[in-house]
Every structure is written in C-alpha cells, then in structure tokens.
Amino acid sequence: MNDLRRLIADRPCLLLDFDGPVCAVFSGISSRRVAEQLGAAMGVSLPDHLGATSDPFELLQYAAQISEEVAVTTERELTRLEVEAVAVATPTPYAHEVIREAAARDGNSVAIVSNNSVAAIDAYLRAHELRDQVSGIYARTSAATPLKPSPHLLEAALAGLRADASTASFTGDSLTDLLAADSATLPAVAYANKPDKVERFAPFAHAVTITSMSALLDAVRGESISQ
C-alpha cells in the first residue's frame, strides 16, 4: 500500500511501537548507561562484545541463555531502569497528537505494542495524560514474554482489542517491527527516524515509509499526503 491516508482510514485500529514512534526512551538516560547498569546487576562475566554494548535487549537475550534465575533478575532490573528512563524521555514530535486524534475518532482504537516493559509504558502515558486515550498496552511483562520479531505481542493486541488483522496497522521504527508485522499479516508504517533507515526499510514492499510522525498525524486527520 502506498497511500497512507487510505491505509489509516480503512484500518481503525492503530497499533504503535513505543520506543521511537511515541518517545525516545533512552534520550534522557542513555542506552549505554542502562546497559552498563544492567550488566553489573546480572552478576556474571560478560563476553567482550556484550560488555561494550549499548543495547539492553542484547543483555536480556544473553541472560535467558544463562538461567531462568538470571533472566528474571535481569528483566526486573531492566524494567526498573526503563521506568527511570521514561521519566526523562523526549516525546517524539507529533506522536502525542497522533494518539489523541486517533483515539477521538469514532470507532477508532489505539494500542501500544512494544518490547519495552508494560510498567514503563504505563508510567510514560500517565505522566503525559495519554493513558485514557490508549485502549491497551501489549508489551513485556516478564523474562518469558516473546518479543518482536515474534508476532506474539501483535497477535495479543489484536485478540485483546477484538480486532481482525484486516482492520489494523502497525507503526514501528525497526526491522524487528517490520518482521513482526509481516508475520502477523499486518501492513506496517515504517517510521524512518534516521536517514539510513529509509534504505534499510526499502525491501519491505508491504510497508509505507514515513520520516516524520506528522505524516501519520495527517493520515489520521484524513488529510492528503504523499510520503
């Protein structure tokens, strides 16, 4: 689909990833700092590449390979750090307006589908007075939650909202988001918030690529766009 306005008009269920499309989770507290704290809390020796990583989710994946106990401890610590991070996270321009406008339209629903923790997402939405506009949060609740690129969370969102895949779309900003959408047979709005992502998203023919959430806002409002 190359007509974003028509895509959104035909699909009243708007599913949004959190980190990127809604806010920059680790903008106030860097992902590197979170990874360092998470690595220290794991209490195990890390391979060199993980000791230098800026991706907390790499550590979470590694913890799951060690033991259930380490995985649980690591996930709980990551949740705590995410809650701290979202308290000072920078909102993505136009994202809050997208949520409010979409939720206000008759028959529409908005939900968050994310690898971040439910606790952190809920805290952010409440802090920005958006929780009442969001019909559901489908995100990480434990170390055992299957994360994207698994379609599990997207399928849980559709089930929870009693929506069919033909009535929904998913906006994400990563390859894992697009892979999850593909597996869940959902059309994706690929938010290329960095220049190199436009090229990386190009092979996903089913996705509509945008470079600003203002394009999604225009589509929600029913305004003509071309991105």
Side-chain angles (χ1 to χ4, degrees):
M1 293 184 180
N2 56 14
D3 187 334
L4 182 58
R5 183 182 60 79
R6 187 183 308 118
L7 170 67
I8 299 303
D10 291 346
R11 294 171 179 267
C13 181
L14 186 66
L15 306 179
L16 301 172
D17 181 36
F18 182 63
D19 188 11
V22 177
C23 70
V25 172
F26 300 117
S27 53
I29 299 175
S30 73
S31 59
R32 175 58 186 154
R33 177 180 164 189
V34 169
E36 288 175 339
Q37 292 184 248
L38 193 60
M42 288 172 68
V44 299
S45 179
L46 297 173
D48 289 345
H49 73 283
L50 288 180
T53 187
S54 295
D55 184 353
F57 287 95
E58 286 189 0
L59 294 170
L60 185 60
Q61 290 173 347
Y62 182 68
Q65 298 171 21
I66 299 173
S67 70
E68 183 178 354
E69 181 181 359
V70 173
V72 169
T73 298
T74 303
E75 194 280 328
R76 286 176 179 169
E77 179 65 5
L78 179 54
T79 294
R80 185 187 70 80
L81 292 167
E82 285 175 334
V83 171
E84 286 187 4
V86 299
V88 290
T90 301
T92 298
Y94 306 103
H96 293 187
E97 292 90 339
V98 166
I99 292 172
R100 292 190 177 101
E101 291 268 354
R105 295 176 71 87
D106 289 343
N108 279 30
S109 60
V110 181
I112 307 297
V113 183
S114 172
N115 287 353
N116 295 113
S117 65
V118 168
I121 297 166
D122 183 74
Y124 179 90
L125 295 176
R126 291 185 187 280
H128 293 274
E129 299 183 349
L130 292 167
R131 187 62 188 88
D132 289 346
Q133 282 74 50
V134 173
S135 299
I137 300 172
Y138 302 89
R140 198 183 76 247
T141 56
S142 74
T145 303
L147 303 179
K148 294 172 290 179
S150 164
H152 169 78
L153 291 172
L154 287 169
E155 291 169 350
L158 294 174
L161 297 170
R162 297 183 180 179
D164 186 86
S166 65
T167 67
S169 66
F170 177 54
T171 299
D173 73 324
S174 70
L175 292 178
T176 56
D177 289 327
L178 301 188
L179 289 168
D182 191 44
S183 295
T185 65
L186 283 172
V189 178
Y191 174 40
N193 52 353
K194 296 178 181 178
D196 65 309
K197 288 187 177 182
V198 173
E199 183 176 350
R200 284 160 56 194
F201 293 163
F204 291 85
H206 69 285
V208 178
T209 299
I210 61 174
T211 57
S212 169
M213 290 295 283
S214 64
L216 187 58
L217 178 60
D218 289 343
V220 168
R221 288 173 170 167
E223 298 173 7
S224 178
I225 62 169
S226 57
Q227 284 218 36

